[in-house]
Amino acid sequence: MWGRRSVSVATLCIALNGAWPALAAEPVGQAVVVKTQVTGQSGPIEVDTRVHRNERIKTSQSGLGQFVFRDGTKLAVGWGSSVVIDKYVFDDSQSVKKLTIRAAKGTFRWVSGNSNSSAYQILTPAGTIGVRGTAFDFYVGPDGTTAIVLLNGAARFCGPGGCRQLQQRCDCVVAKPNGDMSAARRVDPSILATLGNQRALPFLSGNQRLAGGIGMLGGCNMASVAPERKDRTRPPPAVAPAPQRQDPPQRQAEPQKERPNKPDKPHHDKPHHDRPHHDKPHHDKPDRPDKHDGHGRHDDDGKPGNHGLDHRGHERHHDRDRDHDNDRNHDRGHNFNRGR
């Protein structure tokens, strides 16, 4: 009896020991990027730290964690988030039969891996996201309000109020736990007011930057709503373009080019105009000797140098004397003839 019991106990112990590793938490992926503070069930998570099935991952209000699962699926967990890897069934073909995560709150980005689309499922307080070989961002608010923004492929959201299909890039659906759900439409910055949180969807707005190819899927014209981006864009218009646009006033100072045409040219021209005046006396110099004859005119007052007038006066005096002598001779002849 005891021998049989001993064999049975030993067999049971071997069976339990063989089953014990299977009962341990199964690693399903690892962290590739960690910023600020990210924690798991065993404590802080660092780069290359493995994450396990049923493990809850949390981030601080400034934390960020990026994870890669065994089939290549990528999951980014933004600030103030909480998510649990709920189900994970891995097969030998480097794909999963089932991968389900439960997002309690926060902001996330999902990029499907090598498994069939039907293997993926994301649970939120407002409904379930069905993956169709896709990439998308989603946000879960404190009250359970959920927003999904499609980045690639297609997705389907189903909740108490029905289902919505997201088929175009940047399509967005907002759903509430009570069943209220918006129609699919293109996302715009007003969604942040609808969600009541300007920090929602930080991967689209640029408030949080992702590393690797997963970070290249953003956009949808949401970058302008990032408070940090607004602060960054204010200085450039005030500092850089303003002084450059004030160049036209400096160009108005280019009348310097016209200065040679304004006062300077007349000044340079004046000497040229004056030169003829200086030349005129040179042309008039031959005439000055004639003017010097005016010394005779100037000497009419009896001043020295009236040689011309003096000679003329003497000639006139001699002519008078000759006339007087001729008259005398004439009278003499006439008287002589009378006496005969």
Side-chain angles (χ1 to χ4, degrees):
M1 293 289 295
W2 286 103
R4 292 179 181 176
R5 288 181 180 179
S6 298
V7 172
S8 299
V9 171
T11 303
L12 180 60
C13 290
I14 293 171
L16 290 174
N17 289 333
W20 193 254
L23 296 177
E26 180 185 4
V28 296
Q30 65 181 16
V32 293
V33 175
V34 174
K35 295 182 180 179
T36 310
Q37 186 177 0
V38 181
T39 59
Q41 196 162 348
S42 302
I45 294 177
E46 298 177 356
V47 174
D48 295 332
T49 298
R50 291 185 176 183
V51 293
H52 303 83
R53 181 170 56 87
N54 294 326
E55 183 174 10
R56 182 178 294 275
I57 300 171
K58 293 182 178 181
T59 59
S60 66
Q61 291 302 315
S62 60
L64 171 65
Q66 291 181 219
F67 302 89
V68 176
F69 295 97
R70 291 172 64 181
D71 73 329
T73 297
K74 298 175 183 178
L75 176 67
V77 183
W79 51 35
S81 302
S82 175
V83 62
V84 176
I85 303 169
D86 194 26
K87 295 179 182 179
Y88 189 93
V89 181
F90 187 77
D91 61 18
D92 295 334
S93 61
Q94 296 300 314
S95 62
V96 295
K97 293 181 180 180
K98 194 70 174 177
L99 174 56
T100 302
I101 68 171
R102 188 181 299 274
K105 66 174 183 176
T107 184
F108 309 87
R109 174 166 291 180
W110 171 279
V111 179
S112 298
N114 301 323
S115 304
N116 293 329
S117 299
S118 58
Y120 304 117
Q121 193 176 43
I122 300 170
L123 306 177
T124 74
T128 301
I129 303 174
V131 178
R132 299 290 182 268
T134 184
F136 54 85
D137 282 13
F138 63 101
Y139 167 79
V140 179
D143 62 349
T145 299
T146 302
I148 309 99
V149 180
L150 183 68
L151 301 177
N152 190 17
R156 183 181 184 186
F157 185 85
C158 294
C163 294
R164 296 288 186 272
Q165 299 289 338
L166 295 92
Q167 298 178 337
Q168 301 293 326
R169 173 175 165 79
C170 300
D171 275 356
C172 175
V173 169
V174 178
K176 293 182 176 296
N178 62 6
D180 292 342
M181 189 184 309
S182 70
R185 65 179 182 86
R186 184 176 179 84
V187 70
D188 60 50
S190 66
I191 190 175
L192 300 182
T194 301
L195 298 174
N197 185 358
Q198 294 295 317
R199 286 164 57 90
L201 303 172
F203 306 140
L204 289 178
S205 65
N207 284 340
Q208 280 192 308
R209 297 186 179 276
L210 301 175
I214 191 173
M216 303 298 292
L217 298 172
C220 297
N221 296 324
M222 291 289 292
S224 61
V225 303
E228 290 84 357
R229 286 291 181 88
K230 286 183 179 179
D231 294 341
R232 291 173 192 169
T233 54
R234 284 175 188 169
V239 176
Q244 293 176 357
R245 290 180 182 177
Q246 288 180 356
D247 288 344
Q250 294 177 356
R251 291 177 184 174
Q252 291 178 358
E254 289 182 358
Q256 292 177 354
K257 296 179 180 179
E258 298 177 359
R259 284 180 183 174
N261 298 331
K262 283 185 180 178
D264 296 342
K265 276 192 176 179
H267 288 297
H268 289 296
D269 294 337
K270 278 182 180 179
H272 297 292
H273 290 296
D274 293 337
R275 283 175 189 172
H277 293 293
H278 288 293
D279 295 340
K280 282 182 181 178
H282 294 293
H283 292 295
D284 295 340
K285 278 181 182 179
D287 299 336
R288 282 185 182 178
D290 297 337
K291 290 180 182 179
H292 284 302
D293 292 341
H295 286 301
R297 300 173 193 169
H298 194 61
D299 293 337
D300 288 341
D301 297 333
K303 291 182 182 180
N306 282 336
H307 300 293
L309 294 178
D310 291 342
H311 285 295
R312 291 174 188 173
H314 286 298
E315 289 175 358
R316 290 175 185 172
H317 183 70
H318 286 297
D319 291 338
R320 289 176 184 174
D321 293 338
R322 286 174 185 171
D323 293 338
H324 185 67
D325 292 338
N326 290 331
D327 291 337
R328 285 181 181 176
N329 292 329
H330 179 71
D331 292 337
R332 286 177 184 175
H334 183 69
N335 294 329
F336 178 75
N337 291 324
R338 275 185 184 178
R340 291 172 102 181

